[in-house]
Amino acid sequence: MTAFLDQIFVRGKQTLLAPIAHAPSWLVQIVSSLINIFALLAVFLTLFALISVLERKILARMQNRYGPNPFGLFQPIADGIKMLIKEDIVPARADKLVHFLAPVLIAAVAILTLGVIPYGRNMTPFAIDGGILFFFAVGSATELAVFMAGWGSNNKFSMLGAMRAIAQMFSYELPLIIAVLPVVMVVGSLMPDRIVAAQAQYTFGLVPRWFVFTPWGAAAFILFFVSGLVESNRTPFDVPEGESEIVAGHMTEYSGFKYATFFMAEYLGMFAISGLGVTLFLGGWHAPAGALEFLPSYVWFFAKLSALLFVYIWVRGTLPRTRIDQIMNLAWKFMLPMAFACVIAAAVWHYAGRGLRGWLWSLVVIAIVYTLLSILLDTRRKFAPRVYRFAE
């Protein structure tokens, strides 16, 4: 029964493909890909609608207010109807083709990145050898879409917001990618399924051997998570959409369904980066203890994904927006050196035998680099509150 529930969606797909089992292989491959795409869209669009309500309710709870009522169940429907019937306004001097393609491209990129993540046992929509490389190669097109939105709008606020977004996204893509390198080095593969398989063991059948429980893995996961906040344009790094400063950033001249597409792509990107974090550091679809393996694998994946999404919302309800100079200082002066330190610590852990000795030596490497950076940067002075002086 447990095996049946675990593979119920795989069996369902096989049932749908059964009528064309004797058709040409190319036709079977196309139909299989279409089933995967529709399944991805169904799951994550539903999750998008759900989290749009849950985020408001959670933030309302943190801020001692009610939020959408009754329970906000009809909020996604109301938002969808509003966005569909709202007037689509395009500036007269805008580049209409670029203005139209920007939200389409950014949504397509977010959906493509979701296709290489293993959601359960035998449940990777598109299992390719270079899945991690594909994720970052496709995801880098987000910067192009953001720049297209700012440039095509022919608006100074939009262009300023786009340049802010590109500056911080370029800056944080480096620590994001470098934080992934230790995992790829240790596993020896760019395939997400093999990375998940490398974290399948348990110590004494209880403690999982996830990479996040190693010193280099814990540090790399924190760097990955913070970089993911920036790439997803989430608080406290939502400078490109600083409403009190530049209206709405690169989305200033968008309305109606185009604006909703940007909004949806932001959440889909958050799902993708969180799903990749679960795959790389949190054991993917494996249970947190050997005794809990009886639950379906996809249940554990989405439980971990939900936990990370809750932290995203928690951070938004807790921290204020940072200044752009603080964001850049953090990326280039602290996160980038720490990401390289994680690579060295992972190598030390590997060559020291991956046991207790390797664990301790990698901890020493991380601690030394962190201490040196803290002394050299002198954060108390660098990030002290500014004193503004005005002319009389």
Side-chain angles (χ1 to χ4, degrees):
M1 187 63 181
T2 301
F4 174 78
L5 289 175
D6 188 55
Q7 297 297 294
I8 188 170
F9 296 108
V10 177
R11 294 176 185 272
K13 179 183 174 182
Q14 292 172 349
T15 303
L16 292 175
L17 291 174
I20 60 169
H22 300 291
S25 59
W26 61 268
L27 179 61
V28 176
Q29 186 66 38
I30 290 175
V31 175
S32 175
S33 299
L34 289 175
I35 292 173
N36 290 339
I37 292 169
F38 283 122
L40 275 177
L41 290 176
V43 170
F44 283 101
L45 290 181
T46 303
L47 185 57
F48 165 62
L50 182 63
I51 199 172
S52 66
V53 175
L54 289 176
E55 181 165 14
R56 296 182 185 188
K57 295 295 287 185
I58 293 170
L59 290 176
R61 178 67 176 171
M62 292 178 178
Q63 297 164 1
N64 198 25
R65 53 188 177 84
Y66 287 110
N69 282 307
F71 304 108
L73 297 178
F74 299 104
Q75 194 69 46
I77 300 174
D79 287 340
I81 294 173
K82 179 185 72 173
M83 291 300 181
L84 283 171
I85 65 176
K86 204 170 183 181
E87 184 180 2
D88 179 25
I89 301 173
V90 181
R93 295 186 179 182
D95 188 323
K96 293 179 174 54
L97 179 62
V98 176
H99 187 272
F100 171 78
L101 288 178
V104 176
L105 178 61
I106 199 169
V109 165
I111 294 170
L112 283 172
T113 55
L114 290 168
V116 296
I117 298 172
Y119 300 100
R121 189 178 283 104
N122 302 320
M123 288 178 60
T124 306
F126 301 98
I128 57 179
D129 290 338
I132 303 298
L133 185 62
F134 175 87
F135 185 97
F136 289 110
V138 172
S140 62
T142 303
E143 286 89 333
L144 176 62
V146 169
F147 183 75
M148 288 170 63
W151 177 268
S153 298
N154 194 22
N155 179 297
K156 291 182 179 179
F157 287 113
S158 299
M159 194 62 194
L160 178 60
M163 296 307 295
R164 277 184 172 190
I166 292 170
Q168 76 175 38
M169 290 169 82
F170 275 153
S171 300
Y172 279 85
E173 266 196 0
L174 288 171
L176 180 70
I177 295 173
I178 296 171
V180 175
L181 284 181
V183 177
V184 175
M185 288 167 48
V186 168
V187 177
S189 174
L190 285 165
M191 196 171 183
D193 291 284
R194 293 181 183 174
I195 293 173
V196 173
Q199 304 174 76
Q201 295 82 17
Y202 298 91
T203 302
F204 306 116
L206 296 173
V207 182
R209 294 185 183 180
W210 299 348
F211 293 137
V212 74
F213 293 128
T214 62
W216 60 267
F221 176 68
I222 293 172
L223 296 175
F224 183 91
F225 183 81
V226 173
S227 300
L229 282 173
V230 180
E231 293 293 311
S232 303
N233 199 19
R234 297 281 301 183
T235 307
F237 303 107
D238 58 337
V239 170
E241 292 180 32
E243 296 90 347
S244 60
E245 303 165 19
I246 49 177
V247 189
H250 56 280
M251 298 184 291
T252 300
E253 297 294 351
Y254 283 90
S255 61
F257 194 72
K258 291 179 183 175
Y259 181 86
T261 304
F262 273 108
F263 187 67
M264 177 189 70
E266 181 176 309
Y267 276 87
L268 291 180
M270 185 171 67
F271 299 155
I273 202 73
S274 299
L276 185 63
V278 170
T279 300
L280 294 171
F281 300 101
L282 301 179
W285 44 262
H286 289 293
L292 300 174
E293 288 282 356
F294 65 91
L295 287 175
S297 55
Y298 50 83
V299 170
W300 288 117
F301 179 88
F302 282 99
K304 297 173 187 177
L305 180 66
S306 301
L308 286 185
L309 295 177
F310 174 75
V311 176
Y312 271 83
I313 298 171
W314 190 359
V315 169
R316 179 181 177 182
T318 306
L319 300 178
R321 183 181 299 132
T322 54
R323 297 195 311 255
I324 188 67
D325 63 308
Q326 293 174 338
I327 294 174
M328 291 302 170
N329 276 327
L330 180 66
W332 292 101
K333 296 181 180 179
F334 179 78
M335 294 191 64
L336 191 58
M338 280 302 300
F340 282 114
C342 291
V343 176
I344 298 171
V348 170
W349 177 80
H350 171 74
Y351 287 110
R354 301 194 177 192
L356 179 60
R357 186 177 64 172
W359 198 94
L360 292 173
W361 276 113
S362 63
L363 178 62
V364 169
V365 172
I366 296 294
I368 289 174
V369 175
Y370 179 83
T371 304
L372 289 175
L373 287 173
S374 300
I375 294 172
L376 292 174
L377 295 177
D378 191 9
T379 53
R380 289 176 298 177
R381 180 174 57 86
K382 296 289 184 181
F383 296 105
R386 288 183 173 181
V387 178
Y388 294 95
R389 295 181 175 84
F390 300 95
E392 296 294 336

